[in-house]
Amino acid sequence: MSLFASDVAIVGGGLIGSSAALALRRLGFSVVLIERDLCGARASGVNFGGVRRQGRSIGQLHLAMRAHAIWQRLPELIGTDGEYVQSGHLKLARSPQDLAALAEYRERTSDFDLKLEILEGAEFRRRFPMFGEGVAGGSLSPEDGQANPRLVAPAFARAAASAGVIVLERCHLTSMAREERSFLLRAEAGVEIRAQHLINAAGGWGHEVASHFGDHLPLKVGYPTMAVTEPLPAVLGVSLGVEGGGFYARQVARGNLVMGGGFGEATGPGTSRPGRRPMASVAEQAAAILPALRHAQVIRFWSGTEGYTPDKNPVIDFSPTTSGLIHAFGFSGGGFQIAPAVGEVLAELVRDGTSTTPLDSFRINRFNPHPMSEASIL
Amino acid sequence: MSTDRVVVIGAGPAGIRAAETLVRNGIRPVLIDEAARGGGQIYRQPPRAFRRSGKDLYGWEAPKADGVHSALARIMPDIDYHPETLVWNAREGKLDLLRAGRVAEISFDRIIVATGARDRVLPFEGWTMPGVFSLGAAQIALKYQGALLGPRIVFAGTGPLLYLVAYQYAAAGAAVAGVIDSAPFGAQVRALPDLLRQPVTLAKGLFYRAFLHARGIPVWNAALPVEALGSGTVEGLTWSRKGQRQDIACDAVATGFGLCSETQIADLLGCKFEYDDSQRCYLPQVDGAGRSSRAEVYLAGDGSGIGGADLAERAGERAALALLEDIGHSHDNARAVVLDGEIGKLRHFRRGLETAFPAPGFGDFQLNDDLIICRCEEITFGEARRAIAANEISELNRLKALTRIGMGRCQGRSCAPAAAELLAQCSGGGLASAGRLRAQAPIKPVPLAAIGVPPP
């Protein structure tokens, strides 16, 4: 029998949960971080590794700008740079319409210091000679970049543990309840955790944790398909996306081209595999966009479990039904870059009940009509 | 039910006997194989234009090799045979193939997976130097191309293959400079009671040893390779026995510490695995007849646990009979009973071989921090050890995530056994708790341009 009592309990040891744990600890809270597997082993550790602000909605850019500053001091925060490089992020256009959309995005986000540069024609070819004929131009975000999620996600959990967070890995919760004065969580092997605050950072399983407390939030689980080639000569300096989505790529220092697009399928509870169609689509687009690499060998496809909300914005909000409960999930494939800021925001929510970063786009009440909110009003 | 499409992967002894049994019972199977000609690794055939005799190629095993090859030739009109075809992905009811640079897809209702084995390689200083080969590679060079690695070659490792290949090389005229067996001679004596269950096979093993002895080729037991010597290419091998080191001059080293089952396809098909103490690795669960944990998947031969060629032939036939039974097809029950008996005896003999050629203690290897453990990703033992200590790593997939070990072209084929041993050694948790690397498609590298064409 192990008993833990803390100010905050966090369900989910992914990047969101781990960065929240670290931020809370730095504010002086006692924290227990509960992870069913190993911290950062799921979507947080196997995602594409894009660290980009470009392409995010206005609502997310406040968070992304805050995160951008944190990425610059990663070694100081978690003891590793996680292979973070400001390689620049280039969003490709494959038609005049795409270019217009990119230009329109630059206008719309001019309040933020993204330094976006729209490139086309000869100038684009001169600076990016590696792209195939179908690429018309692109929008370069010079200060965005990429990092290695396999290293970053576990490093946040490790830093949290070093800072005094109690990290319970391979810990299977058997019950969660809001009691009069605190939350009581029970896990296998007689583990009991009491906490004043509970953060639901369960990622692709966040809706299951939420509905446990009567918050029924719309979340669709998806399994992004990603691929990596053998190491290749340096061809691609920037991290890559395409207008309209469906393909993304980056080349790491070792030379491997990491890429992805499309969705795979579930194979069981918590496991998934890359889909055959997205495999073909990713490979086809890679060969078209980077023709020099068409004979490169793919050495691995993989997939992870990610939760998607209807508007692709996460939920970062207090539970409407349960006091002391905060939900933070549904990052919809875009959580990696903003996660360090989300951690700080969650710590502020616990401490102050509000955050200095605007969270309007992430409110639960945007999913209206909301049956359980109505029920709780009644 | 006989309209079910049955696919057999692998045209070695197990796959060919499985296909033959299906044909005999009126089913037309699909047989997929990576090689150009059937036979598997053990009975690998040279290119058609080559004219070496079966006796030259396979020695005493020539009649068995001929039996397997003839069986394939006989059933050829009654099967759909896909040689030179890689199965690079397996999913629910479907396989993804690569042939001549093009992808294809094939569906199945039932499948017999007979994917064989690869060498179990353990690292020593210089093991990545040109001139150091696996035992299996040395044998392929000889059987497939009639080429000798060498001219002066040392064989280092353990297992029956060590003596067989050394013998084959010596018989083919190579200068075998020595055989270094990590197994103590006492183990081979202890194994005699089990080995006597197959006296003919045992006699062959003893003959190989006697043959080497008669040729004046030294055989050292309880000895380990320490360092492949040379600048750029192998010029010698330092080996040790009871703390004493010696150098031996040679141009090539062939090494292998037993075999590992090729289980990636079984893994992608969703078969459950369990730890096998005698083979020091995780293997797919399989019943005596070849049924896996999945109703549509059958496993046979070395791919489901190392048993050798004789066992593989019978296991292939037995798995086909189990499949026929399961789909309600008429089949020869009496034959199944006979096979069960033979398989039981062969497994007993196998146990004897495992006693005779135990895997060496990993602690006996001198694995310095600057030695490469993962050659694809160029990760050293030092990096691995530091990562294990700093992150309290106790499981292989986490080791892979944090260090890249097993993340390269070979997908862990080469380094996983050593990585598992190292993890068990550092964490003190044992091999079972170190887990296993999850298989991921493509099982072997496939070009982007090929995958990019959607299957027809």
Side-chain angles (χ1 to χ4, degrees), chain B residues 106-321:
Chain B
I106 192 167
S107 48
F108 62 86
D109 299 299
R110 303 264 168 173
I111 188 164
I112 298 177
V113 180
T115 38
R118 64 178 186 277
D119 291 281
R120 185 169 185 269
V121 178
L122 294 176
F124 49 87
E125 284 300 327
W127 74 290
T128 54
M129 201 193 304
V132 181
F133 296 85
S134 74
L135 270 179
Q139 205 188 26
I140 287 169
L142 183 57
K143 272 190 295 205
Y144 187 58
Q145 291 288 331
L148 295 171
L149 307 176
R152 282 174 311 165
I153 184 166
V154 172
F155 293 90
T158 196
L161 194 62
L162 183 70
Y163 293 92
L164 173 63
V165 185
Y167 157 73
Q168 289 172 331
Y169 263 63
V176 177
V179 177
I180 292 159
D181 184 353
S182 67
F185 190 69
Q188 280 149 31
V189 174
R190 273 197 303 283
L192 275 174
D194 278 336
L195 296 179
L196 278 166
R197 290 169 185 264
Q198 298 288 324
V200 176
T201 313
L202 173 63
K204 284 180 204 158
L206 294 174
F207 171 82
Y208 298 146
R209 226 186 140 112
F211 179 93
L212 296 170
H213 185 73
R215 296 278 173 111
I217 295 166
V219 175
W220 294 285
N221 278 99
L224 282 175
V226 174
E227 180 175 5
L229 305 167
S231 48
T233 179
V234 170
E235 291 163 16
L237 180 77
T238 303
W239 59 278
S240 76
R241 185 164 184 269
K242 294 179 181 161
Q244 303 277 21
R245 290 186 173 207
Q246 288 188 52
D247 290 353
I248 183 167
C250 60
D251 311 296
V253 176
T255 182
F257 292 85
L259 298 172
C260 296
S261 299
E262 293 278 34
T263 58
Q264 297 87 352
I265 290 173
D267 196 359
L268 289 176
L269 286 168
C271 294
K272 285 195 185 122
F273 280 60
E274 61 196 355
Y275 182 70
D276 184 292
D277 203 34
S278 69
Q279 304 199 1
R280 300 179 76 76
C281 65
Y282 278 82
L283 291 172
Q285 288 176 3
V286 63
D287 76 358
R291 294 179 182 91
S292 77
S293 64
R294 291 194 61 97
E296 77 280 20
V297 181
Y298 301 78
L299 307 168
D302 280 354
S304 60
I306 305 305
D310 294 352
L311 181 55
E313 280 194 57
R314 287 159 181 86
E317 185 179 355
R318 186 65 189 86
L321 291 176

Side-chain angles (χ1 to χ4, degrees), chain B residues 291-380:
Chain B
R291 294 179 182 91
S292 77
S293 64
R294 291 194 61 97
E296 77 280 20
V297 181
Y298 301 78
L299 307 168
D302 280 354
S304 60
I306 305 305
D310 294 352
L311 181 55
E313 280 194 57
R314 287 159 181 86
E317 185 179 355
R318 186 65 189 86
L321 291 176
L323 186 153
L324 290 162
E325 182 184 352
D326 294 348
I327 61 174
H329 202 286
S330 65
H331 65 288
D332 188 347
N333 229 334
R335 177 68 186 151
V337 172
V338 170
L339 283 171
D340 286 342
E342 293 180 2
I343 287 170
K345 280 184 198 150
L346 285 162
R347 285 201 196 287
H348 229 106
F349 181 72
R350 187 73 218 160
R351 224 168 304 154
L353 284 180
E354 276 149 16
T355 309
F357 302 104
F362 199 63
D364 297 336
F365 283 79
Q366 304 219 330
L367 303 163
N368 297 326
D369 274 357
D370 58 357
L371 180 65
I372 295 275
I373 179 169
C374 167
R375 62 193 307 171
C376 297
E377 294 296 321
E378 300 169 290
I379 311 298
T380 64

Side-chain angles (χ1 to χ4, degrees), chain A:
Chain A
M1 188 102 182
S2 317
L3 301 176
F4 301 94
S6 64
D7 299 324
V8 188
I10 301 174
V11 177
L15 202 40
I16 299 296
S18 300
S19 69
L22 178 61
L24 280 159
R25 194 69 204 99
R26 287 161 68 100
L27 293 182
F29 290 93
S30 58
V31 184
V32 176
L33 178 63
I34 303 145
E35 166 56 45
R36 174 176 53 178
D37 190 351
L38 294 173
C39 287
R42 300 303 181 98
S44 295
V46 302
N47 67 75
F48 168 63
V51 184
R52 58 158 184 89
R53 295 161 298 170
Q54 171 161 238
R56 289 181 189 273
S57 65
I58 302 279
Q60 280 199 24
L61 277 174
H62 299 282
L63 258 183
M65 296 307 287
R66 182 171 181 172
H68 184 71
I70 302 173
W71 279 97
Q72 312 313 314
R73 51 185 181 85
L74 217 52
E76 165 202 330
L77 196 64
I78 61 169
T80 171
D81 69 358
E83 297 175 10
Y84 169 62
V85 282
Q86 273 181 285
S87 58
H89 175 260
L90 181 66
K91 195 161 192 182
L92 297 177
R94 292 185 278 199
S95 67
Q97 290 79 7
D98 286 354
L99 270 172
L102 292 171
E104 189 270 329
Y105 179 82
R106 185 180 58 172
E107 285 309 307
R108 195 147 45 86
T109 57
S110 57
D111 289 349
F112 299 89
D113 185 27
L114 297 180
K115 304 184 176 70
L116 298 183
E117 194 181 345
I118 307 289
L119 296 158
E120 58 183 308
E123 172 65 4
F124 177 74
R125 290 281 157 202
R126 189 185 64 75
R127 286 179 62 179
F128 299 105
M130 69 291 268
F131 295 122
E133 284 172 6
V135 178
S139 169
L140 179 68
S141 174
E143 291 174 6
D144 280 346
Q146 50 186 296
N148 187 338
R150 288 185 286 108
L151 304 180
V152 172
F156 264 95
R158 222 159 40 240
S162 304
V165 171
I166 294 168
V167 180
L168 306 177
E169 290 187 314
R170 292 191 173 119
C171 177
H172 295 253
L173 288 174
T174 51
S175 73
M176 291 179 283
R178 168 81 225 187
E179 302 198 326
E180 205 170 311
R181 302 173 64 104
S182 64
F183 288 91
L184 175 60
L185 312 183
R186 286 201 172 92
E188 285 171 4
V191 173
E192 265 189 38
I193 303 132
R194 279 191 183 277
Q196 305 304 308
H197 303 266
L198 180 64
I199 295 176
N200 168 16
W205 298 268
H207 58 316
E208 292 174 16
V209 173
S211 60
H212 204 83
F213 291 96
D215 297 333
H216 300 285
L217 301 173
L219 193 77
K220 221 176 127 194
V221 178
Y223 312 93
T225 292
M226 284 161 283
V228 61
T229 66
E230 62 195 328
L232 303 165
V235 171
L236 185 64
V238 290
S239 184
L240 212 63
V242 296
E243 173 59 25
F247 181 73
Y248 40 90
R250 65 190 182 97
Q251 191 172 18
V252 302
R254 195 174 155 72
N256 310 72
L257 187 74
V258 181
M259 64 200 131
F263 295 93
E265 59 220 26
T267 50
T271 58
S272 60
R273 69 165 72 200
R276 180 63 185 92
R277 268 171 205 287
M279 281 182 184
S281 145
V282 165
E284 185 187 12
Q285 294 190 72
I289 289 171
L290 296 161
L293 304 186
R294 67 189 182 282
H295 297 301
Q297 307 264 2
V298 175
I299 58 173
R300 185 168 59 256
F301 285 98
W302 76 95
S303 182
T305 305
E306 174 67 333
Y308 295 81
T309 64
D311 61 8
K312 301 290 193 295
N313 273 324
V315 171
I316 306 174
D317 200 359
F318 289 98
S319 161
T321 64
T322 309
S323 73
L325 172 63
I326 304 174
H327 298 299
F329 64 91
F331 285 82
S332 308
F336 188 56
Q337 189 270 347
I338 56 177
V342 175
E344 290 188 357
V345 162
L346 290 169
E348 290 172 356
L349 290 181
V350 167
R351 185 186 60 184
D352 308 327
T354 180
S355 170
T356 52
T357 300
L359 301 176
D360 308 317
S361 299
F362 317 129
R363 299 281 179 222
I364 285 174
N365 64 14
R366 74 185 194 272
F367 304 119
N368 276 331
H370 195 280
M372 282 321 288
S373 311
E374 284 162 21
S376 62
I377 291 161
L378 292 171

Side-chain angles (χ1 to χ4, degrees), chain B residues 71-94:
Chain B
L72 177 59
R74 257 193 325 274
I75 60 171
M76 206 59 94
D78 303 309
I79 65 174
D80 294 319
Y81 179 48
H82 300 270
E84 292 182 275
T85 302
L86 168 72
V87 178
W88 60 269
N89 186 27
R91 46 208 164 102
E92 197 95 348
K94 284 199 171 66

